[in-house]
Amino acid sequence: MSGTQQQLHTKQETPVKKSDEPALKGTFVSVLLLGAFIAVSWIGVFVLFIVRN
Amino acid sequence: MHLHRLEKIWLTIGIGMLAVFLIVLGTMAFSMGIQPPSGHRHTIDPTKVSETAPFDTPGFTSIGDHHYEAVMVAYAFGYDPMTYEVEAGSTVDFAVTSSDVVHGFSIVGTNVNMMIEPGEISHIRHTFDKPGTYLILCNEYCGTGHEYMKTTLVVK
C-alpha cells in the first residue's frame, strides 16, 4: 500500500519538476532556423557586393 | 536572472553574429573607405546648380590614364550629360547632384547605387572592367516621368 502510494507520489512529482524548466527545444530550433536565414542572406549580399566591386 | 540553457546558446549565437557583422562593416568602412556616397559633406545651392562650378559644365573629363571624373546633374527626368564613352578598365569618379528633387543613380549590375539629393553632392568611384552598355537609372520615385529617367554609359 505504502509502495503504491510512493509510486503515485513519484509519478505526480515528475511533471511538476518539468514545468519548472519550460520545454524550449522547438523555440531553439526556430531561433536557429531564423538565425541561419539571416546569416545566409547577409553572406549572400556581402558576396554579391564583393564580386561586383 | 535565470536563463534556460538553450536561451544562453541562442543568445550567444545571436550576439556573436551581430559582432561579426559589425566587425566586417567597420573594417570595410575604415580600411577600404566604403562609406555612404553622400557622407563627404559637399554641399551646393540647389537653385544655382547650373551656375556653380563644376556643375555649370557637366561632362566626363580625363584626369589620368584610364581615369575619368564624371560631373553629372540629375533632373526631372534625365541626366546631364546624356551620353558618354570610356575605355574598358577605366576608373570613373562620379560626382552627381540634383537640380530639383531627390533622384537615384544606379548603374545596373554594379555596386554603384546612390541617392542624389538637392543641395548635396554624392560621390562614388567605379572601375569598368567589362566592355558593354551600362544602364544608369533613377531608383527614387521623382515624379510622373520617373520610369523614363535613364541614360547609358558605353564602355568600349
Side-chain angles (χ1 to χ4, degrees), chain A residues 1-15:
Chain A
M1 183 74 184
S2 65
T4 326
Q5 264 187 341
Q6 217 174 6
Q7 265 188 348
L8 278 174
H9 192 68
T10 329
K11 269 185 187 170
Q12 275 174 345
E13 273 217 334
T14 328

Side-chain angles (χ1 to χ4, degrees), chain A residues 30-47:
Chain A
S30 315
V31 169
L32 286 194
L33 285 175
L34 182 64
F37 174 74
I38 293 172
V40 166
S41 318
W42 193 92
I43 292 165
V45 171
F46 186 69
V47 167

Side-chain angles (χ1 to χ4, degrees), chain B residues 10-155:
Chain B
W10 77 57
L11 280 173
T12 310
I13 293 173
I15 293 167
M17 265 169 64
L18 196 64
V20 169
F21 293 167
L22 289 175
I23 289 166
V24 171
L25 208 67
T27 309
M28 293 188 73
F30 291 103
S31 72
M32 296 165 70
I34 292 167
Q35 283 163 17
S38 56
H40 309 264
R41 306 309 310 160
H42 291 171
T43 53
I44 183 171
D45 183 345
T47 58
K48 293 184 179 139
V49 168
S50 57
E51 305 149 36
T52 313
F55 296 97
D56 50 347
T57 52
F60 275 53
T61 325
S62 178
I63 52 170
D65 185 31
H66 285 78
H67 196 178
Y68 292 86
E69 186 180 35
V71 173
M72 297 177 71
V73 178
Y75 58 91
F77 302 98
Y79 297 93
D80 200 9
M82 294 292 284
T83 51
Y84 9 82
E85 283 186 358
V86 294
E87 312 88 57
S90 296
T91 299
V92 183
D93 290 343
F94 292 94
V96 193
T97 194
S98 167
S99 57
D100 39 49
V101 296
V102 173
H103 293 287
F105 185 91
S106 172
I107 306 182
V108 177
T110 71
N111 280 337
V112 177
N113 184 4
M114 55 186 181
M115 217 170 161
I116 311 300
E117 298 147 85
E120 299 281 337
I121 301 168
S122 296
H123 299 261
I124 202 160
R125 170 178 286 183
H126 188 73
T127 302
F128 295 90
D129 290 322
K130 284 187 200 154
T133 303
Y134 288 77
L135 175 66
I136 300 176
L137 46 83
C138 175
N139 56 10
E140 296 283 338
Y141 183 72
C142 57
T144 49
H146 166 67
E147 67 270 32
Y148 302 111
M149 186 167 168
K150 66 175 176 67
T151 187
T152 45
L153 167 66
V154 178
V155 179

